[in-house]
Amino acid sequence: MKKLQMKTPLVEMDGDEMTRILWRDIKELLLLPHVDLKTVYFDLGLAERERTRDRVTVDAANANREYGVAVKCATITPNAQRVEEYQLTEMWKSPNGTIRAILDGTVFRAPIMVDGISPVVKNWKEPITIARHAYGDVYRASEYRVTGAGKAELVFTGEDGTVTSQTIFQFKNGGVLQGQYNLDSSITSFARSCFQYAVDTRQDLWFSTKDTISKQYDHTFKDIFAELFETEYAGQFKQLGIEYFYTLIDDAVARVIRSRGGFIWACKNYDGDVMSDMVSTAFGSLAMMTSVLVSPDGNYEYEAAHGTVTRHYYRHLKGEETSTNPMATIFAWTGALAKRGELDGLPDLTAFAGRVEQAALDTIRSGVMTQDLAGLWEGESPAKQVTSREFLTAISQKL
Ligand code: NAP
Ligand code: MG
């Protein structure tokens, strides 16, 4: 049989530990037998980041901007222990942070649902996608510990020298202070990524903040979303029969729990951090989540939502076969291949990606799965727990 051809290469970002092993096996068992795979390869494994003084991460992100679609393996974000373990000359920054800063985007995370593994919230029938703004607010805040009496002020000095100030609080005793910011440009690109993703995936978009309390800060988010929607997206939404819906965050939480799913929930940075863990846990497992970074100028980076699964890797090094779930990494590859097919006018490539996903889901439906899922399985016959390699082989046979 002739292999599927590609036009534009994918930007391939290899990674670390157990996910690096899964990466190699997914390519060998599921992709290379069927696709004449074209990639521009970057090794983001920690050893190579050290060797290139992290230049490789920046090069990979720039290649993502050049070619449009990337697929990324999970990578170690070094801490003190890793500096020792890998003999690092510096505590290199989180590759995801570096890539996000270069691409400037929004992270969309959605659960991979399969019959036999049901969400904790029983009325959730369709996935809920969280769209998290990945810039500013409390993550870039300045903080101050007040230790005695004094006046706290919010002061803005314009470039022309104009000074405006307001009193925040007259402290009589110790307390805490925080100053945070965001940018119209970043909020606008967040809004644009969300509207575009809703159009691409034909789902309703919800957005929530606390604008009744935060009358300048959160209200600006609400206004920027509303204006962009009216001027650029209202027509397309109407045509597709989808809806944009703004509500207060506390109201949104209640509605999300009562919903049947099937929409995108856009969240400010902190809300997205908290709500994505809540939603993913309620749907089952981090290994059953897709994650894609969408930049406002239309670049895509697909990845797994989980880390490098270090504990399994140490067992692997001792020669044990592990039962690590490769679903999120498989879906990172299929997401990227499907998008490449769509952008290059290669429907066969997009269809192939869909068949790989179906084969993976069918394998689980047939009762064959990794250890993390076996514990959640509610199918009629008991789950057959297999190793990662056996699981991938079962998928390749279905394929
Ligand atoms: P992790 O790799 O996500 O693993 C935490 C635990 O979750 C595992 O020990 C395992 O539990 C379970 N788990 C996660 N993914 C699984 C899978 N695919 N199949 C089965 N079980 C899975 O998080 P971590 O241990 O906190 O971090 C490890 C490394 O990953 C760190 O160096 C961190 O910097 C990095 N990290 C990278 C990314 C990224 O690149 N996007 C994200 C997060 C963390 P059991 O051991 O109980 O089986
Ligand atoms: Mg978090």
Side-chain angles (χ1 to χ4, degrees):
M1 208 178 77
K2 216 169 142 274
K3 286 189 190 181
L4 283 167
Q5 296 299 308
M6 295 176 64
K7 272 187 206 156
T8 318
L10 283 178
V11 175
E12 175 181 355
M13 307 182 187
D14 207 344
D16 287 300
E17 301 195 312
M18 207 57 223
T19 38
R20 190 181 178 97
I21 312 286
L22 297 177
W23 194 261
R24 186 198 64 199
D25 290 352
I26 289 167
K27 283 168 67 179
E28 177 200 327
L29 293 168
L30 302 182
L31 305 178
L32 292 171
H34 308 283
V35 183
D36 197 357
L37 199 63
K38 268 196 198 161
T39 72
V40 185
Y41 180 85
F42 294 88
D43 184 359
L44 300 199
L46 194 46
E48 185 63 7
R49 278 183 274 152
E50 166 69 18
R51 198 187 65 79
T52 62
R53 306 198 56 74
D54 210 21
R55 182 73 226 166
V56 65
T57 310
V58 174
D59 290 347
N62 285 327
N64 198 161
R65 296 189 65 181
E66 185 183 341
Y67 292 97
V69 185
V71 54
K72 180 182 171 291
C73 181
T75 46
I76 292 169
T77 298
N79 54 16
Q81 182 256 318
R82 298 295 198 168
V83 169
E84 203 165 302
E85 182 183 356
Y86 283 82
Q87 308 262 300
L88 303 180
T89 51
E90 258 179 66
M91 201 184 286
W92 305 112
K93 287 194 191 139
S94 147
N96 285 335
T98 303
I99 295 167
R100 274 176 212 161
I102 292 172
L103 289 182
D104 174 22
T106 303
V107 179
F108 295 90
R109 289 202 164 158
I112 302 165
M113 295 180 73
V114 49
D115 306 330
I117 295 168
S118 27
V120 177
V121 181
K122 61 181 186 304
N123 43 288
W124 286 357
K125 301 295 178 207
E126 302 286 332
I128 295 169
T129 302
I130 300 273
R132 173 183 172 190
H133 185 206
Y135 182 81
D137 300 348
V138 71
Y139 300 86
R140 297 263 180 135
S142 308
E143 302 196 326
Y144 184 70
R145 178 81 173 100
V146 178
T147 51
K151 183 163 78 164
E153 289 176 295
L154 194 59
V155 179
F156 181 80
T157 310
E159 256 186 8
D160 62 358
T162 341
V163 177
T164 55
S165 82
Q166 51 182 303
T167 301
I168 297 172
F169 193 67
Q170 189 81 49
F171 285 87
K172 294 206 174 59
N173 282 303
V176 282
L177 259 178
Q178 183 184 69
Q180 41 173 294
Y181 74 93
N182 220 303
L183 304 172
D184 285 3
S185 58
S186 180
I187 302 166
T188 305
S189 53
F190 169 43
R192 188 180 297 286
S193 302
C194 291
F195 289 127
Q196 193 57 48
Y197 198 74
V199 167
D200 287 352
T201 61
R202 295 171 188 233
Q203 295 184 83
D204 289 347
L205 175 68
W206 297 15
F207 180 44
S208 56
T209 72
K210 193 72 180 176
D211 69 286
T212 44
I213 300 299
S214 174
K215 289 189 162 57
Q216 296 287 340
Y217 201 109
D218 281 16
H219 214 284
T220 299
F221 278 78
K222 180 184 178 183
D223 287 347
I224 288 177
F225 267 72
E227 197 190 322
L228 189 67
F229 180 69
E230 281 315 317
T231 53
E232 293 187 35
Y233 287 96
Q236 285 182 71
F237 269 57
K238 200 165 169 206
Q239 226 169 32
L240 293 171
I242 56 176
E243 214 187 316
Y244 169 57
F245 170 62
Y246 175 86
T247 188
L248 287 170
I249 180 114
D250 34 357
D251 179 47
V253 168
R255 285 173 187 261
V256 164
I257 298 295
R258 287 197 309 263
S259 78
R260 66 184 310 281
F263 55 90
I264 301 159
W265 182 13
C267 292
K268 287 176 62 198
N269 208 348
Y270 174 82
D271 300 339
D273 188 352
V274 177
M275 293 307 165
S276 67
D277 277 24
M278 192 271 287
V279 169
S280 66
T281 307
F283 268 108
S285 145
L286 261 191
M288 296 292 280
M289 290 283 286
T290 63
S291 181
V292 56
L293 173 70
V294 181
S295 83
D297 45 355
N299 298 307
Y300 297 79
E301 184 233 321
Y302 292 83
E303 57 164 6
H306 58 76
T308 59
V309 211
T310 311
R311 279 180 23 187
H312 295 207
Y313 182 60
Y314 290 159
R315 293 212 296 272
H316 166 84
L317 289 181
K318 284 193 214 140
E320 281 175 46
E321 282 285 341
T322 69
S323 186
T324 316
N325 190 341
M327 288 293 284
T329 307
I330 295 172
F331 276 63
W333 274 101
T334 53
L337 285 171
K339 179 55 79 179
R340 202 58 277 168
E342 188 190 314
L343 296 175
D344 288 349
L346 299 171
D348 288 353
L349 188 64
T350 304
F352 167 74
R355 282 200 300 278
V356 175
E357 293 179 359
Q358 271 316 311
L361 291 169
D362 286 346
T363 301
I364 298 175
R365 274 187 211 114
S366 75
V368 175
M369 65 201 75
T370 47
Q371 182 194 350
D372 55 315
L373 296 183
L376 305 170
W377 181 245
E378 296 169 338
E380 275 164 25
S381 47
K384 183 178 175 216
Q385 186 182 309
V386 294
T387 66
S388 304
R389 187 86 195 168
E390 287 166 342
F391 182 65
L392 289 169
T393 305
I395 298 173
S396 80
Q397 279 159 3
K398 282 219 189 296
L399 192 59

